[in-house]
Amino acid sequence: MMLSKEQMLKELYDAYEFFKQAEGTEYIYETRSRLLEEERVKLEKPPVWFYILLIFVPLYITSLFLRVAEGVASVLMFAIPIVGFLIVKKVYKKTPHYAKRVKQFQQKEDGLKNLEDKVVLNGYNARGSVSFLSEEYWNTDAIGRMISYLKSNRASTVAEMVNLYENELHQRRMENIQQDILREEKLQTEIAQGPHFVYTNRD
């Protein structure tokens, strides 16, 4: 059964809205996942103020006793930084501040898991499919362009839409290759003209 132009447009519009939302969700998920991974690395690192509290405050107090008990105080001046840096992470993990940070991090992880479930669900949701197109064209770029082909009467059948889109893709690839070649030629020309030329043109 051949679909009319109006039927194809309706299905394409519905799919476009779905994939637009789905791709937005995926982008948010990937961004949050990357930020959370960076936060995970920083989580166990004590803040600067904790180093000051654990190491520099005791050092300052010890320095006050240098005149009274110079020998003992001098030993402590060397021992405090060494011991402090060795135990700072273990001590920090016992503090309420660290427990609060871990709790906040776990809440963010739970939120990311919910978002991940939504991304997976989108991948299986039939509402995003287009019955007359193969899956390789189920994205906002392809669907958006096919909508424009139909609306501008550049195409009236599925075959015409696909051919137009594939031709545009090929043209974009060729343009990208050409730009890469031009950039490489420009770089080689600059290198050939000497290091000073390259340096001044990079400012």
Side-chain angles (χ1 to χ4, degrees), residues 82-140:
I82 296 171
V83 174
F85 278 108
L86 288 174
I87 67 170
V88 65
K89 283 189 177 181
K90 291 182 180 178
V91 175
Y92 178 63
K93 287 182 180 180
K94 304 292 183 183
T95 64
H97 184 269
Y98 176 74
K100 183 181 177 181
R101 286 181 67 187
V102 169
K103 185 178 180 181
Q104 290 172 341
F105 183 81
Q106 288 173 343
Q107 288 172 344
K108 291 179 182 178
E109 274 193 323
D110 293 339
L112 188 66
K113 182 65 174 67
N114 293 335
L115 195 61
E116 181 182 15
D117 292 340
K118 190 174 181 180
V119 170
V120 172
L121 182 64
N122 284 343
Y124 291 98
N125 198 322
R127 287 193 303 110
S129 64
V130 184
S131 62
F132 52 87
L133 287 177
S134 61
E135 290 188 22
E136 63 185 297
Y137 302 113
W138 291 4
N139 57 74
T140 52

Side-chain angles (χ1 to χ4, degrees), residues 7-25:
Q7 289 173 319
M8 286 192 290
L9 273 173
K10 184 182 183 307
E11 194 168 336
L12 285 171
Y13 272 123
D14 289 344
Y16 181 84
E17 289 303 317
F18 173 82
F19 283 113
K20 184 178 178 182
Q21 183 179 3
E23 288 171 11
T25 304

